[in-house]
């Protein structure tokens, strides 16, 4: 049966998110998580639909890609389709032809599961290794310590504070309360929580933020993003909010907590390991220069 590529309408977003949820597994390689789509939803449902690509055989979704920026595609595959030859060759063709609307001409990057056939085929088309990422995993079977700070779950009343800490944690961030509301209205946010850490009793004392995304009970949950206010770094707040994130995923029924960060970001790696995360094998993006 022929494999078809499509851009879903807004009404098709739940099916794509549901497929991503079911593909998450503790033994699977790192790949696009429904939380990644949920975080992108801050730009609105229309923008999220426009950024997604799905590949189907008949009615069944076999692959989902997120255009996470103008020149990056983040890809997830159904577990039994990782080595599917027809799908892999179709993906290679679609990735290489800008007219198909997956990636533009010029330099581009791809995030794809480590043991997928598409990764084996792309070097034959001129793709090479790009940035290295380290994924980390936290086993949730052990008790989670107290974070040591006041932590609040973000609701509508905290949206402005949550957005302000995000902007103070990430240089160039354009996150706003309106974008938080857009994100919180998305399908993936039904299994998510935003948390704020406070170094005091007042709203102005917010020092760190995190969002966690469950893929459903018994599946790995994602930490994305986590940040500490630039004026409050070096005081253990990153570890504290990460511990709180792990506790939130336990309550959501996740089997584990996962996160990925550039291998070169030694500060982030130190924060996650201090909160109980353990590194898994690094994976490199693939890059096409022309």
């Amino acid at each position: 049966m022929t494999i078809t590529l499509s851009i879903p309408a807004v009404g098709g977003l739940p099916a794509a998110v549901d497929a991503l949820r079911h593909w998450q597994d503790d033994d699977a390689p790192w790949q696009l998580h429904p939380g990644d789509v949920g975080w992108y939803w801050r730009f609105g449902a229309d923008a999220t639909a426009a950024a997604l690509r799905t590949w189907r055989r008949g009615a069944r979704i076999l692959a989902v890609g997120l255009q996470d920026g103008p020149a990056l595609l983040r890809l997830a595959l159904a577990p039994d389709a990782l080595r599917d030859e027809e799908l892999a060759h179709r993906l290679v063709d679609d990735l290489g032809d800008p007219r198909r609307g997956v990636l533009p001409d010029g330099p581009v990057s791809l995030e794809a599961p480590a043991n997928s056939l598409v990764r084996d085929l792309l070097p034959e088309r001129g793709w090479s290794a790009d940035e290295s990422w380290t994924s980390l995993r936290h086993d949730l079977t052990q008790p989670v310590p107290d974070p040591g700070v006041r932590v609040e779950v973000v609701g509508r009343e905290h949206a402005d504070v949550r957005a302000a800490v995000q902007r103070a944690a990430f240089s160039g961030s354009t996150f706003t309360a309106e974008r938080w509301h857009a994100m919180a209205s998305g399908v993936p946010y039904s299994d998510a929580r935003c948390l704020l850490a406070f170094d005091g009793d007042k709203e102005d004392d917010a020092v760190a933020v995190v969002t966690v995304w469950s893929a459903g009970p018994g599946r790995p949950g994602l930490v994305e993003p986590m940040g500490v206010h630039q004026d409050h770094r070096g005081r253990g707040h990153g570890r504290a909010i990460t511990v709180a994130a792990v506790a939130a995923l336990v309550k959501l029924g996740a089997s584990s907590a996962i996160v990925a960060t550039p291998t070169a970001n030694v500060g982030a790696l130190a924060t996650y390991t201090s909160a109980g995360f353990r590194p898994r094998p690094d994976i490199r993006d693939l890059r096409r220069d022309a």
Side-chain angles (χ1 to χ4, degrees):
M1 189 176 294
T2 302
I3 292 174
T4 58
L5 163 66
S6 64
I7 302 174
V10 170
L13 287 173
V17 170
D18 193 54
L20 289 171
R21 284 191 177 117
H22 282 88
W23 298 346
Q24 305 305 311
D25 185 273
D26 286 314
D27 296 325
W30 180 271
Q31 63 177 356
L32 185 70
H33 189 278
D36 294 311
V37 178
W39 175 236
Y40 195 93
W41 214 297
R42 67 194 187 276
F43 300 118
D46 289 336
T48 303
L52 282 183
R53 302 294 182 271
T54 60
W55 287 263
R56 296 174 182 261
R57 180 180 285 127
R60 186 191 175 205
I61 298 175
L62 296 179
V64 176
L66 174 67
Q67 287 186 332
D68 199 359
L72 170 64
L73 185 78
R74 304 180 64 189
L75 186 67
L77 300 157
D80 62 348
L82 286 167
R83 307 295 298 180
D84 185 301
E85 291 195 16
E86 182 186 13
L87 175 63
H89 285 282
R90 175 62 195 261
L91 287 168
V92 168
D93 289 343
D94 290 343
L95 291 166
D97 187 349
R99 294 171 298 180
R100 301 191 183 186
V102 178
L103 283 171
D105 202 2
V108 293
S109 295
L110 173 72
E111 176 191 288
N115 59 349
S116 57
L117 181 57
V118 66
R119 289 186 66 95
D120 297 342
L121 297 177
L122 284 172
E124 301 172 6
R125 302 286 186 96
W127 293 67
S128 58
D130 195 15
E131 184 177 18
S132 177
W133 290 77
T134 298
S135 63
L136 303 98
R137 178 178 178 271
H138 193 302
D139 181 8
L140 301 186
T141 61
Q142 301 299 317
V144 181
D146 187 282
V149 297
R150 179 167 68 95
V151 176
E152 299 286 347
V153 176
V154 175
R156 298 180 67 87
E157 69 279 9
H158 288 122
D160 287 331
V161 178
R162 189 256 182 269
V165 177
Q166 180 80 23
R167 294 192 301 272
F170 296 95
S171 178
S173 172
T174 59
F175 196 69
T176 62
E178 290 74 19
R179 288 191 171 172
W180 183 87
H181 288 296
M183 178 183 72
S185 70
V187 172
Y189 201 78
S190 62
D191 293 323
R193 297 290 185 275
C194 274
L195 306 175
L196 278 169
F198 295 84
D199 188 18
D201 297 326
K202 299 178 181 178
E203 292 258 323
D204 292 344
D205 296 327
V207 294
V209 65
V210 72
T211 304
V212 296
W213 306 86
S214 169
R219 299 190 178 101
L222 178 70
V223 177
E224 172 63 22
M226 183 279 290
V228 178
H229 194 296
Q230 61 185 356
D231 295 336
H232 298 277
R233 291 173 180 162
R235 305 175 193 175
H237 298 314
R239 177 188 179 278
I241 195 66
T242 304
V243 169
V246 171
L249 285 171
V250 170
K251 291 181 180 179
L252 289 167
S255 58
S256 64
I258 58 174
V259 68
T261 189
T263 304
N265 191 343
V266 294
L269 290 172
T271 295
Y272 291 126
T273 54
S274 72
F277 283 78
R278 296 294 174 260
R280 303 174 80 182
D282 293 349
I283 184 171
R284 287 185 175 272
D285 288 349
L286 293 173
R287 178 178 177 84
R288 186 196 69 209
D289 290 321

